[in-house]
Amino acid sequence: QVDLLSLESTMVFHTLTRFNDPVLCASFRGDGRMLVAGDAGGKTHIFDLRSHALMRIFGVHSHAVRPCHSVCARVLLPHASAAAQVHVARFSADGARVFTASDDARAICWDVAAEAQVRTFEGHCDRVRSGRINPASADLFFTGALHGPRAALPPSARRSPPASRKLAIPLPSPG
C-alpha cells in the first residue's frame, strides 16, 4: 500500500491499496495530480490522486538470465517465471512518459497515454536499483545497478570507495 501523509499534521489522509504485492517505490508527477508506484511483483501502477482511481497498470518486468557483454560475464537472476521487483518508477517532466527499472537488469520507458513500451534498455549486468529522468530533457536519464561479482577481482585490483571531499566550486541556482 501507499500512504499519503500530510507534513503539517503528520497524519495519513489517504491510503492507496490496489496492490497485490508490496510497493517498493513511488513518485509524484510534476503537477502533483498523479502518482506512479512500482511493486515487488514487477508491475507499475499509475493513480489519479484527486479521485484515487487506478488509471494504468504497466506490464511486468520479469527475470531472465541473459548474456552480458561486459566484465561481469553473465546476469545471475532467479527463475525465468519470477517477476522482477520494480525499484524505480518515475514520470518524465511533461508527465507523458514513465521510466521504470528493476531486478531484471532492464530499464523501460513507457508512453502513459498509449499504455505501451517506448523503449527497453538492456545491458546492465545486475539489478537496476536507481534511476532518474533529467527534468530538463526527457531524452536523458541515468540508471545505477548493483555490480557483478566482486569476488572475480583479485585483491590487488579492488579499490576502496573514494573519500568524500568538498570542492570550492559554486553551484548554479535553479531557475
Side-chain angles (χ1 to χ4, degrees):
Q1 75 182 28
V2 172
D3 290 329
L4 301 175
L5 306 160
S6 167
L7 286 176
E8 291 180 15
S9 70
T10 67
M11 302 292 290
V12 174
F13 65 86
H14 191 76
T15 300
L16 303 172
T17 59
R18 305 267 317 260
F19 302 93
N20 292 328
D21 295 292
V23 176
L24 301 177
C25 61
S27 63
F28 293 103
R29 191 170 71 179
D31 62 5
R33 293 175 54 191
M34 305 288 268
L35 180 124
V36 61
D39 70 23
K43 294 186 206 107
T44 303
H45 310 257
I46 298 179
F47 291 89
D48 179 311
L49 292 179
R50 288 187 177 170
S51 67
H52 304 130
L54 177 62
M55 305 300 288
R56 303 271 189 279
I57 298 178
F58 289 132
V60 176
H61 276 268
S62 61
H63 282 302
V65 177
R66 291 184 300 279
C68 179
H69 306 291
S70 182
V71 293
C72 59
R74 187 179 157 160
V75 180
L76 301 174
L77 298 171
H79 189 269
S81 65
Q85 297 179 343
V86 176
H87 290 275
V88 177
R90 300 196 184 271
F91 282 101
S92 60
D94 63 4
R97 294 184 175 173
V98 165
F99 169 77
T100 62
S102 78
D103 283 352
D104 64 1
R106 297 183 304 157
I108 300 175
C109 182
W110 304 87
D111 183 293
V112 174
E115 299 183 53
Q117 289 184 26
V118 173
R119 183 147 309 175
T120 299
F121 300 91
E122 298 181 351
H124 281 290
C125 290
D126 208 338
R127 296 155 178 88
V128 182
R129 294 295 175 90
S130 64
R132 188 97 187 212
I133 297 174
N134 183 335
S137 170
D139 292 331
L140 183 62
F141 62 92
F142 78 85
T143 59
L146 300 175
H147 296 288
R150 292 183 183 271
L153 295 174
S156 61
R158 294 184 191 145
R159 294 185 298 172
S160 57
S164 174
R165 59 185 175 152
K166 293 182 180 181
L167 302 175
I169 302 169
L171 295 175
S173 61

